[in-house]
Amino acid sequence: MSQQHLSYAVEAAASEFGVPGAAVGILTDGREIHASHGVTSVGNPLPVDGRTLFHLASVTKTYTATALLRLVTEGKVDLDAPVRRYVPELVLADEESAAEITVLNLLNHTSGLGWNLIGAHGNGSLAGFVAAMSELEIIAPPGARASYSQAGYNLAGRIIEKVTGLPYEKAVAALVLDPLGLDHTFFDLDDVMIRRFAVGHNRDEDGELRAARPWKAHPAGARGDNPGGGIVSCVDDLLRWARFHLEGGDGVLPAKALHGMREQTVALRGSTLGDGFGICWFLREVDGVRTIGHGGSGNGQFAELLIVPERNFAVVSLANEGPGGHPFNQAVLRWALEHYLGLTEHDPEPVPFDAERAREVAGRYEIDAMNLDIATDGAALTLGVGIKPEIRAASDADMPPDYEPAAMGFLPGDGDEYIITEGGLKGQRGYFTRDDKGEVTGVDLAGRLFGRATER
């Protein structure tokens, strides 16, 4: 498959989803293939290329986990140790959880910590973020279930700071970025601004693109979210990162430890993200072949990294528009898997509409920053998700648009798993959580538990 074929596919997907700028890279049997499309910014356009910097958002977690695992192999951190061994000042809403959460619980999202603390920037430091974690919701006892937590990874970054005695960003550079020669991967906006970088875009109510502010998903100078989502990089460096995870330790980690990150530590149910978590990685089978990967959603910027270890293959896709960047990246990944590896991924088909089931799950669900609304008109079921109006109103920053209500359907089985069948979240899967009495108490979307907020 030639570079020209990849370029055609990227251009077609960008046109379909309205993405002004994108960069894609493929690693296949040691050979790299690149395709770039469009411009860095609609207001101040420059051509996107393989060195154009994008905000990777949650793909950052793969770097945090790898750096922390290096400290484990050096005997400085124990995965099974309580977090308080390294961060003794940790205070949570539940004292038992604060005492019992382990390092591994953070890395495989089984800590029971809620998703994140919105607005907990304080003095901008990671220590300040951790000091505010007493306000974070506890959704489950440690180890009881998986639920994706940005706050958990920020706390993992604080472990790195405490153990190394360095700011998180400098520690990750020393432990991982510098040894691997990732010289176009940064945290600091001062490093970004002197290079070619993509501007995120969101669409307003009229469908017009506008530059997204802040450039990252958090204000400039705020470091508290860096371990969970602050890194900036390009296709060239991401392919080098993928090659490192495919081939071996390169003096950073023993290959056994590095490849052990791919082994399942906890299963996921009914999730688009995967069948389970390893150490950080989402594990997913596509057409019978195991893959590992991670995605990221920033402010008008979207990133995906997918690796197929047994085929010595990886694909990276970066886009600078929301909400189209997410489905664009998914389309590119599926195209690459099919055309390079012959692997085809199909969404499962929902069962016919069931009015009784629909009434049972209809209502509002929420996390600290977002509402998720499921509604039925007696003939169909829809799901919409968006930033809470009070948070949007109180913020000086531009925020991404909400996902308007889109059709969803139950999947075969016990009736608690679902799939979204249209809109910007098309293909997303999740499931409903019940209490001991069988009452629906929450819904999982994108690996996060939204608790029920209203009566049926």
Side-chain angles (χ1 to χ4, degrees):
M1 192 66 59
S2 70
Q3 189 274 337
Q4 189 175 42
H5 285 96
L6 177 61
S7 293
Y8 286 154
V10 170
E11 184 176 352
S15 176
E16 178 180 359
F17 297 108
V19 172
V24 174
I26 287 175
L27 177 64
T28 177
D29 291 325
R31 182 170 62 102
E32 294 186 8
I33 304 171
H34 293 247
S36 299
H37 166 81
V39 295
T40 58
S41 166
V42 296
N44 298 283
L46 291 172
V48 173
D49 60 25
R51 288 288 181 92
T52 299
L53 299 175
F54 287 77
H55 177 213
L56 302 189
S58 285
V59 178
T60 306
K61 294 178 175 69
T62 67
Y63 299 83
T64 300
T66 303
L68 193 47
L69 200 61
R70 179 170 182 181
L71 296 176
V72 170
T73 62
E74 293 174 353
K76 298 174 182 176
V77 174
D78 181 348
L79 280 177
D80 296 321
V83 171
R84 270 191 175 164
R85 178 182 296 181
Y86 311 103
V87 189
E89 68 272 23
L90 176 66
V91 176
L92 298 176
D94 177 71
E95 170 58 25
E96 189 172 343
S97 292
E100 293 182 0
I101 291 172
T102 68
V103 178
L104 180 59
N105 288 148
L106 301 181
L107 296 183
N108 69 0
H109 297 284
T110 59
S111 64
L113 297 173
W115 172 61
N116 204 11
L117 281 169
I118 299 302
H121 301 296
N123 61 5
S125 71
L126 192 48
F129 180 95
V130 172
M133 287 184 66
S134 60
E135 302 173 16
L136 182 69
E137 181 184 11
I138 306 296
I139 63 169
R145 58 157 294 156
S147 185
Y148 190 80
S149 177
Q150 173 88 350
Y153 261 79
N154 293 338
L155 180 55
R158 182 61 176 155
I159 295 174
I160 293 173
E161 285 193 335
K162 298 281 280 192
V163 170
T164 63
L166 296 170
Y168 161 80
E169 299 81 5
K170 290 186 180 299
V172 170
L175 292 166
V176 175
L177 304 183
D178 293 345
L180 295 179
L182 300 176
D183 54 6
H184 279 71
T185 300
F186 312 103
F187 289 96
D188 198 319
L189 290 181
D190 286 345
D191 291 314
V192 175
M193 295 300 112
I194 61 172
R195 296 170 173 87
R196 183 169 302 196
F197 61 90
V199 171
H201 300 84
N202 292 313
R203 291 192 182 274
D204 61 24
E205 295 179 355
D206 297 324
E208 294 297 318
L209 287 175
R210 53 181 172 79
R213 299 173 64 250
W215 186 77
K216 290 186 182 182
H218 50 267
R223 298 176 47 246
D225 272 319
N226 273 351
I231 218 162
V232 177
S233 192
C234 62
V235 162
D236 286 4
D237 268 20
L238 277 164
L239 289 179
R240 186 185 292 264
W241 182 237
R243 190 187 295 270
F244 162 68
H245 277 277
L246 278 169
E247 295 180 354
D250 286 350
V252 172
L253 277 178
K256 182 178 180 181
L258 185 69
H259 295 164
M261 294 176 69
R262 311 171 185 169
E263 299 303 315
Q264 182 168 298
T265 59
V266 62
L268 287 173
R269 177 188 177 192
S271 176
T272 314
L273 300 174
D275 309 308
F277 283 119
I279 292 180
C280 185
W281 292 116
F282 292 107
L283 313 178
R284 185 164 59 97
E285 273 200 8
V286 178
D287 223 0
V289 176
R290 293 184 65 196
T291 73
I292 65 173
H294 213 293
S297 300
N299 193 3
Q301 299 195 55
F302 295 82
E304 288 287 343
L305 168 62
L306 186 70
I307 299 173
V308 188
E310 64 188 77
R311 301 291 183 89
N312 196 30
F313 179 87
V315 54
V316 174
S317 187
L318 308 173
N320 68 348
E321 186 268 344
H326 174 72
F328 166 84
N329 285 340
Q330 299 307 310
V332 168
L333 264 58
R334 288 189 173 193
W335 183 92
L337 290 173
E338 181 176 358
H339 287 81
Y340 284 89
L341 302 182
L343 304 177
T344 304
E345 186 173 12
H346 298 287
D347 289 330
E349 289 292 328
V351 300
F353 175 75
D354 184 314
E356 183 177 351
R357 282 185 181 179
R359 287 193 298 271
E360 183 184 24
V361 303
R364 169 160 287 182
Y365 303 79
E366 63 180 357
I367 55 177
D368 61 347
M370 304 177 78
N371 292 325
L372 186 155
D373 291 297
I374 295 176
T376 180
D377 61 1
L381 192 63
T382 61
L383 181 151
V385 61
I387 296 168
K388 289 184 174 180
E390 61 270 25
I391 290 178
R392 192 182 287 278
S395 176
D396 293 330
D398 296 330
M399 291 190 170
D402 296 341
Y403 287 96
E404 296 298 322
M408 63 182 293
F410 294 105
L411 292 172
D414 61 10
D416 283 340
E417 295 187 16
Y418 69 88
I419 185 169
I420 301 171
T421 57
E422 65 178 13
L425 294 174
K426 182 179 179 181
Q428 284 283 329
R429 296 169 56 191
Y431 68 95
F432 294 94
T433 299
R434 297 177 182 270
D435 62 18
D436 294 339
K437 297 178 181 179
E439 295 290 321
V440 174
T441 58
V443 59
D444 274 69
L445 175 68
R448 302 169 189 166
L449 174 62
F450 289 70
R452 193 159 202 167
T454 60
E455 296 296 327
R456 292 196 303 278

